């Protein structure tokens, strides 16, 4: 009966799935934390495509219909010509002082001979050429403009913190606060003068670091008239994002496919996506059609000023373009807001499509597409931003669809440094393996993967709908790729699979335990080996003797360098509970005790810690302490109790009866005492010592899923009934301290319900947030429940926690 019901859902969804999907950002190319490109907004041609961090990584798509150009992918990116270079382009010196100067210091006639001269940029970090460590700096830079043009001029500026900018004595910009990249501020016409000019800046440090650099650029005209195609629909599946457009009498269907099928690790780890174009006439007339695709070389650098080299070649019935940084600093950088600047970007198209590929600047390449006259250059070495361009001819298009595709891939050469070992991507069995061979395999797999991904997307949607309703299914299909793409798959030197997360926009830590914990349901559902890959690094760190404390580490480094914990504060109860619970979940998913037995010794140390310190936690950090540390945290106590119950359950399955009895009885006694200490009438408190508080007790969900039976169902029911009185428009707050929430935890809390109606009451506000928020970024898991705005975080793996209801159903938990 259950299979018949699922079939009915599949049939129903097949009839109604062609609907406009709404998301804060749309996944396009999603493989790992470096190869992750999104459309930030509702129209694919309304903004430039970006890396998940928000930095532009431009993909361009233009369809030529009967010689008229229509843009369907990416916005019209501005190209600039330098008038006055910033330090990221060319070394220069400017006059400066840290003493408040006399009046009119910002004018051309002011005498600055007593000021010092220093090389830009000015600041207190390693990038700075002139050290500035005081509260304020005054900057003057004279320059000569030989010839004025009518082109639009911009101030190019990077500053930390407050800034006032003057040009020829006129204030042109003022801002309180700082930026973390170069920004472009339009300048009024006529403010620049032929001959001598003066750029003057007052920059004040208010907190944190210091930085100042500035220059002037002018906009380069595009040189080709391009209309916008009309976007008629966007729909998302777990592995496909599909856009439809009309342009000049034709319909265009564009599909981005990242074949992340988790039952095939080699496929999931192969960093190659497909862009499929299907074109047909919309007006019963024949049309001549060509499609242009451009990929910026900025996909292969951290910042656009970094020099690149680009190449063109043909190999194994593929036409291939390639780009990479000149420097190639393999695994030399670690940070949160960071893009890859080693390895190589590839664009490949099958020879059978008779595509034309060429290299050049974005402006020149668009002009070449317009004219049909293409350069024959096969390489350009040590240049700035280039465009890797491909023109696919579709010829005469009638009512029958014509379909062609290209591939975008990235070879990172080496992926992770793991306790001193630089690990290869798993497709590269040795350093001699060529990425071009992966492109050939991907091209051969195209037809089968197109069918497999569509079938998987339909199955996930049907199962999620059956499990939690349509809105729940919408959320699951949105987050599926996001969670996977915040990880990297590699193998450790000892052969262990590693599935290493990056704590995106939250410090950039690698293999963070309290990121693994909320992410786990997706991988327990689709491939428990990947959850083992999320735990293996933490187990190895402890079992190797490198980590000596009686509880797990918080992390093993900052991505992509995994040489040991970097975070400055431990989370003892948090991480010990997380590891024990997840090991028990793996044991449940595997149906055997192999994994638990392998790590029993170190888990016993952690269980002893929880037995001593877990019930009434001290003032220590936990994953939810955004509003500050808490002692006597009732939800953290639940985690310790459930962790001990999980340990006892594994002991029972291993035949360790005495240990199982000891820890099960301890957990039961703790759970009984917890109900007394945390009781606050109609709910249970945030802390044992303050009954005027409340919090989501989402950690209880593992008592339910693992069938530990530590807490009576009345505890779940009392909390759920109370939470339903505390919901805001965009969700249930995390606790009584603030209005913000964590949507992954709401999903876990909702899974404590005992009926579908109550479950959907928790899901609906999250769905409303995801579809209506004005924070246009890859889905944040931390948002305000009254305004629906992002608080922090984006593109994190923790949204894998959304799959917990589907996991509960798979495990037949009611």
């Amino acid at each position: 009966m259950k299979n018949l019901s699922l079939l009915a859902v599949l049939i129903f969804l097949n009839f109604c799935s062609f609907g406009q999907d709404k998301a804060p950002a749309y996944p396009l190319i999603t493989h790992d934390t470096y190869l992750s490109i999104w459309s930030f907004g509702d129209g694919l041609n309304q903004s430039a495509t970006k890396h998940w961090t928000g930095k532009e990584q431009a993909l361009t798509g233009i369809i030529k219909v009967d010689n008229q150009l229509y843009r369907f992918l990416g916005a019209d990116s501005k190209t600039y010509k330098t008038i006055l270079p910033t330090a990221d382009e060319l070394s220069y010196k400017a006059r400066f002082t840290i003493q408040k100067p006399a009046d009119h210091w910002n004018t051309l006639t002011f005498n600055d001979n007593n000021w010092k001269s220093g090389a830009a940029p000015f600041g207190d970090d390693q990038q700075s050429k002139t050290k500035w460590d005081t509260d304020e700096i005054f900057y003057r830079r004279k320059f000569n403009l030989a010839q004025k043009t009518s082109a639009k001029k911009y101030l190019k500026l990077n500053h930390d913190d407050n800034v006032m900018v003057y040009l020829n004595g006129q204030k042109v910009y003022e801002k309180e606060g700082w930026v973390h990249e170069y920004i472009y501020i339009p300048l009024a016409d006529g403010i620049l003068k032929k001959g001598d000019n003066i750029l003057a800046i007052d920059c004040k440090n208010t907190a944190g670091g210091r930085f100042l650099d500035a220059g002037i650029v002018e906009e380069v005209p595009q040189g080709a008239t391009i209309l916008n195609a009309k976007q008629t629909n966007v729909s998302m599946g777990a592995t496909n994002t599909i856009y439809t457009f009309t342009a000049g009498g034709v319909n265009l269907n564009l599909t981005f496919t990242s074949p992340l099928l988790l039952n095939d690790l080699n496929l999931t780890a192969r960093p190659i996506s497909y862009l499929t174009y299907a074109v047909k006439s919309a007006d019963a007339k024949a049309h001549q059609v060509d499609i242009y695709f451009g990929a910026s070389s900025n996909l292969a650098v951290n910042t656009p000023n970094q020099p690149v080299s680009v190449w063109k070649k043909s190999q194994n019935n593929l036409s291939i373009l390639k780009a990479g940084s000149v420097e190639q600093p393999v695994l030399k950088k670690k940070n949160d807001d960071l893009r890859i600047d080693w390895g190589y970007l590839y664009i490949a198209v099958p020879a059978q499509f008779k595509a034309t590929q060429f290299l050049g600047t974005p402006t020149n390449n668009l002009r070449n597409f317009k004219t049909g006259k293409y350069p024959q250059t096969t390489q350009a070495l040590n240049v700035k931003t280039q465009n890797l361009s491909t023109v696919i001819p579709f010829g005469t298009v009638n009512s029958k669809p014509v379909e062609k595709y290209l591939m975008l891939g990235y070879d990172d050469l080496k992926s992770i440094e793991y306790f001193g070992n630089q690990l290869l991507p798993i497709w590269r069995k040795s350093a001699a393996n060529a990425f071009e061979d992966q492109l050939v395999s991907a091209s051969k797999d195209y037809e089968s993967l197109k069918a497999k991904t569509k079938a998987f997307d339909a199955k996930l949607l049907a199962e999620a709908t059956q499990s939690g309703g349509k809105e729940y299914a919408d959320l699951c299909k949105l987050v599926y790729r996001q969670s996977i793409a915040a990880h990297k798959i590699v193998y450790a030197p000892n052969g262990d699979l590693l599935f290493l997360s990056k704590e995106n926009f939250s410090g950039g830590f690698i293999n963070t335990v309290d990121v693994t914990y909320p992410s786990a349901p997706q991988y327990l559902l689709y491939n428990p080996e990947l959850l083992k890959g999320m735990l293996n690094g933490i187990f190895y760190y402890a079992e190797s003797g490198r980590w000596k404390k009686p509880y797990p580490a918080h992390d093993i480094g900052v991505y992509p360098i995994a040489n040991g914990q970097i975070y400055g504060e431990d989370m003892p109860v948090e991480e010990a509970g997380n590891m024990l619970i997840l090991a028990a979940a793996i044991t449940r998913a595997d149906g055997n005790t192999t994994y638990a037995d392998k790590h029993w010794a170190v888990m016993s140390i952690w269980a002893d810690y929880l037995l001593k310190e877990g019930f009434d936690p001290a003032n220590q950090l936990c994953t939810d302490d955004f509003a500050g540390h808490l002692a006597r945290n009732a939800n953290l106590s639940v985690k310790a109790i459930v962790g001990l119950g999980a340990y006892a359950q594994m002991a029972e399955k291993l035949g360790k009866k005495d240990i199982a009895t000891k820890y099960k009885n301890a957990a039961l006694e703790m759970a009984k005492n917890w109900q007394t200490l945390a009781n606050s009438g109609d709910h249970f408190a945030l802390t044992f010592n303050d009954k005027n508080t409340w919090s989501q007790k989402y950690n209880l969900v593992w008592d339910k899923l693992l069938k530990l039976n530590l807490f009576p169902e009345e505890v779940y029911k009392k909390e759920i009934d109370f939470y339903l009185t505390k919901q805001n428009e965009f969700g249930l707050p995390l606790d009584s301290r603030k209005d913000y929430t964590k949507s992954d935890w709401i999903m876990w809390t909702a899974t404590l319900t005992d009926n579908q109606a109550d479950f959907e009451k928790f899901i609906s506000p999250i769905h409303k947030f995801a579809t209506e928020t004005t924070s246009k970024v890859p889905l944040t898991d931390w948002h305000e429940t009254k305004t629906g705005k992002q608080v922090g975080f984006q593109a994190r793996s923790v949204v894998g926690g959304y799959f917990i209801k589907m996991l509960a159903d798979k495990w037949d938990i009611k």
Side-chain angles (χ1 to χ4, degrees):
M1 182 64 70
K2 184 175 180 180
N3 289 336
L4 287 174
S5 178
L6 178 58
L7 179 62
V9 174
L10 273 167
I11 294 171
F12 170 74
L13 291 171
N14 188 55
F15 281 104
C16 66
S17 60
F18 191 77
Q20 182 88 11
D21 282 331
K22 296 282 289 182
Y26 296 82
L28 305 179
I29 309 291
T30 47
H31 287 276
D32 57 47
T33 184
Y34 288 134
L35 184 55
S36 184
I37 306 171
W38 298 69
S39 176
F40 283 53
D42 294 327
L44 187 61
N45 55 9
Q46 299 302 307
S47 61
T49 58
K50 298 176 182 180
H51 185 257
W52 67 261
T53 55
K55 298 299 192 301
E56 184 174 313
Q57 291 191 333
L59 303 178
T60 303
I62 297 170
I63 185 169
K64 183 191 290 184
V65 182
D66 302 328
N67 215 36
Q68 175 60 55
L69 305 186
Y70 301 86
R71 184 184 300 275
F72 60 85
L73 168 59
D76 185 6
S77 297
K78 288 182 170 60
T79 303
Y80 301 104
K81 175 184 176 182
T82 297
I83 295 175
L84 185 66
T86 46
D88 68 325
E89 301 173 86
L90 187 69
S91 179
Y92 74 88
K93 290 186 175 182
R95 294 280 188 175
F96 75 98
T97 181
I98 58 174
Q99 306 297 326
K100 185 171 180 60
D103 292 344
H104 309 298
W105 65 274
N106 53 8
T107 63
L108 187 62
T109 57
F110 181 80
N111 185 347
D112 59 16
N113 289 339
N114 292 329
W115 289 32
K116 295 179 181 179
S117 177
F122 299 84
D124 58 4
D125 63 4
Q126 292 182 343
Q127 184 183 351
S128 302
K129 297 290 182 61
T130 297
K131 188 172 182 61
W132 164 40
D133 56 9
T134 61
D135 290 339
E136 191 167 13
I137 190 170
F138 298 86
Y139 162 114
R140 283 173 53 87
R141 186 177 178 192
K142 292 180 182 178
F143 63 99
N144 184 273
L145 187 63
Q147 187 66 44
K148 286 184 63 177
T149 68
S150 60
K152 185 67 179 175
K153 309 296 191 299
Y154 296 82
L155 171 70
K156 180 181 175 183
L157 178 67
N158 195 341
H159 66 93
D160 185 358
D161 292 300
N162 300 352
V163 71
M164 284 189 288
V165 183
Y166 304 87
L167 192 54
N168 295 326
Q170 295 185 47
K171 185 187 293 184
V172 294
Y173 185 68
E174 180 176 6
K175 177 180 172 64
E176 290 189 4
W178 56 279
V179 296
H180 59 279
E181 61 185 331
Y182 288 93
I183 58 175
Y184 295 82
I185 299 106
L187 295 173
D189 292 340
I191 198 165
L192 277 175
K193 305 183 183 305
K194 184 177 179 180
D196 289 337
N197 293 262
I198 181 71
L199 176 64
I201 304 174
D202 174 5
C203 191
K204 294 181 180 180
N205 175 255
T206 58
R210 301 162 177 83
F211 192 85
L212 180 61
D213 187 25
I216 297 174
V217 299
E218 68 178 18
E219 188 175 336
V220 178
Q222 290 295 328
T225 301
I226 305 175
L227 305 176
N228 266 352
K230 181 182 179 181
Q231 181 175 313
T232 55
N233 194 69
V234 55
S235 60
M236 283 179 298
T239 62
N240 292 277
T241 302
I242 305 168
Y243 289 90
T244 60
F245 300 89
T246 60
V250 302
N251 290 334
L252 168 65
N253 184 299
L254 171 63
T255 302
F256 294 87
T257 304
S258 296
L260 304 179
L261 303 177
L262 294 180
N263 63 337
D264 186 338
L265 294 184
N266 289 318
L267 174 63
T268 301
R270 185 171 72 188
I272 298 173
S273 279
Y274 304 94
L275 279 72
T276 301
Y277 309 95
V279 185
K280 67 176 182 179
S281 174
D283 58 7
K285 299 177 182 178
H287 298 278
Q288 289 296 313
V289 174
D290 296 295
I291 288 182
Y292 170 93
F293 172 79
S296 172
S297 62
N298 289 346
L299 272 71
V301 291
N302 180 42
T303 58
N305 61 291
Q306 291 180 265
V308 297
S309 293
V310 293
W311 299 268
K312 168 189 169 184
K313 65 177 180 179
S314 296
Q315 183 176 331
N316 296 326
N317 292 316
L318 293 176
S319 180
I320 299 172
L321 298 174
K322 175 181 175 181
S325 71
V326 171
E327 183 185 3
Q328 288 297 309
V330 179
L331 293 173
K332 297 297 184 185
K333 297 176 182 177
K334 58 180 182 179
N335 206 343
D336 187 10
D337 187 6
L338 187 72
R339 289 138 302 279
I340 196 168
D341 58 2
W342 70 87
Y344 297 94
L345 166 71
Y346 287 82
I347 308 297
V349 60
Q352 70 195 60
F353 296 152
K354 302 185 186 306
T356 299
Q357 291 193 302
F358 52 103
L359 307 166
T361 66
T363 300
N364 287 342
N365 284 11
L366 285 178
R367 188 178 295 116
N368 292 331
F369 178 49
K370 174 71 173 177
T371 63
K373 298 177 181 178
Y374 302 117
Q376 301 303 309
T377 306
T378 58
Q379 67 177 27
L381 307 179
N382 199 9
V383 292
K384 293 293 177 70
T385 302
Q386 297 287 291
N387 201 274
L388 281 61
S389 298
T390 301
V391 176
I392 302 178
F394 281 71
T396 302
V397 172
N398 294 296
S399 58
K400 183 179 180 180
V402 180
E403 180 178 297
K404 299 184 181 183
Y405 69 91
L406 59 78
M407 298 173 290
L408 186 153
Y410 204 98
D411 177 9
D412 61 5
L413 302 178
K414 294 179 179 178
S415 300
I416 299 289
E417 183 170 310
Y418 181 73
F419 296 104
N421 297 284
Q422 293 191 347
L423 305 182
L424 299 173
I426 73 169
W427 62 264
R428 177 172 270 131
K429 306 304 181 184
S430 73
N433 291 128
F435 193 77
E436 288 83 352
D437 295 334
Q438 297 299 306
L439 291 167
V440 171
S441 296
S443 186
K444 291 178 179 177
D445 293 342
Y446 170 75
E447 289 294 342
S448 66
L449 288 179
K450 182 172 70 169
K452 286 180 180 178
T453 57
K454 287 183 178 179
F456 176 78
D457 290 0
K459 187 171 185 289
L460 181 149
L461 183 62
E463 291 177 341
T465 302
Q466 188 176 41
S467 181
K470 181 184 182 302
E471 291 183 333
Y472 176 68
D474 286 346
L475 292 164
C476 287
K477 70 181 184 180
L478 169 62
V479 303
Y480 179 85
R481 275 175 282 173
Q482 174 174 315
S483 183
I484 298 169
H487 295 84
K488 188 70 176 182
I489 303 175
V490 288
Y491 284 106
N494 67 359
D496 281 348
L497 174 70
L498 300 173
F499 189 47
L500 301 174
S501 63
K502 179 175 182 179
E503 195 172 342
N504 289 345
F505 260 34
S506 178
F509 303 104
I510 188 169
N511 205 188
T512 305
V513 176
D514 60 298
V515 169
T516 293
Y517 179 62
S519 306
Q522 181 171 348
Y523 306 102
L524 284 165
L525 181 65
Y526 290 111
N527 190 341
E529 292 302 311
L530 286 169
L531 180 54
K532 294 176 189 176
M534 299 161 79
L535 304 187
N536 286 340
I538 299 296
F539 277 125
Y540 174 78
Y541 192 18
E543 291 163 350
S544 68
R546 289 176 168 88
W547 178 260
K548 302 180 185 300
K549 298 177 182 180
Y551 45 79
H554 167 271
D555 61 77
I556 57 173
V558 173
Y559 196 96
I561 309 301
N563 289 333
Q565 179 170 312
I566 294 294
Y567 197 62
E569 187 173 358
D570 299 333
M571 297 187 182
V573 172
E574 175 75 40
E575 311 302 30
N578 291 344
M579 291 295 289
L580 294 178
I581 291 167
L582 294 181
I586 287 171
T587 301
R588 166 69 174 80
D590 281 351
N592 63 64
T593 58
T594 302
Y595 196 73
D597 191 38
K598 180 179 180 180
H599 301 295
W600 189 254
V602 72
M603 287 198 295
S604 297
I605 295 172
W606 299 341
D608 283 344
Y609 177 83
L610 289 181
L611 192 62
K612 296 172 184 175
E613 306 290 344
F615 172 67
D616 195 351
N619 187 27
Q620 60 179 249
L621 186 62
C622 84
T623 193
D624 293 335
D625 284 345
F626 309 115
H629 289 42
L630 277 178
R632 315 196 73 190
N633 184 328
N635 188 47
L636 188 58
S637 176
V638 170
K639 180 168 290 183
I641 296 167
V642 174
L644 289 170
Y647 177 76
Q649 185 181 78
M650 289 185 284
E652 179 72 27
K653 292 180 179 180
L654 282 163
K656 302 178 186 292
K657 304 296 185 183
D658 291 346
I659 294 175
T661 299
K662 173 185 174 180
Y663 284 88
K664 180 63 178 285
N665 287 341
L668 284 168
E669 183 66 20
M670 287 181 181
K672 180 180 178 182
N673 293 335
W674 184 93
Q675 293 171 64
T676 300
L677 276 176
N679 188 37
S680 187
D682 60 352
H683 70 281
F684 295 97
L686 166 66
T687 61
F688 291 145
N689 57 312
D690 189 348
K691 301 304 172 62
N692 295 313
T693 60
W694 64 272
S695 66
Q696 291 189 49
K697 309 302 188 303
Y698 57 81
N699 287 315
L700 284 168
V701 77
W702 291 104
D703 183 46
K704 181 177 181 178
L705 264 63
L706 295 173
K707 296 184 178 179
L708 300 176
N709 300 317
L710 300 173
F711 294 86
E713 291 184 8
E714 290 76 17
V715 171
Y716 309 165
K717 179 64 174 172
K718 183 159 82 168
E719 284 291 273
I720 291 296
D721 289 346
F722 181 79
Y723 298 151
L724 288 172
T725 70
K726 294 296 182 182
Q727 291 215 103
N728 291 324
E729 183 177 4
F730 296 101
L732 175 67
L734 184 62
D735 58 49
S736 52
R737 291 177 292 178
K738 298 284 185 178
D739 288 327
Y740 54 59
T741 195
K742 291 282 274 83
S743 57
D744 46 339
W745 297 147
I746 296 178
M747 289 288 189
W748 291 30
T749 293
T751 305
L752 289 169
T753 58
D754 59 7
N755 64 86
Q756 189 70 15
D758 282 351
F759 177 82
E760 293 187 19
K761 288 176 185 176
F762 288 105
I763 302 310
S764 189
I766 307 175
H767 185 269
K768 182 178 177 66
F769 162 72
T771 56
E772 297 182 14
T773 180
T774 57
S775 300
K776 298 298 185 181
V777 299
L779 189 67
T780 174
D781 52 286
W782 184 16
H783 71 267
E784 290 285 352
T785 61
K786 289 185 176 179
T787 65
K789 292 184 178 180
Q790 175 188 27
V791 178
F793 306 159
Q794 62 198 49
R796 299 211 308 163
S797 68
V798 302
V799 293
Y802 285 22
F803 288 88
I804 197 160
K805 180 61 165 62
M806 293 177 69
L807 178 66
D809 288 350
K810 181 179 181 180
W811 286 359
D812 199 27
I813 306 297
K814 303 302 181 184

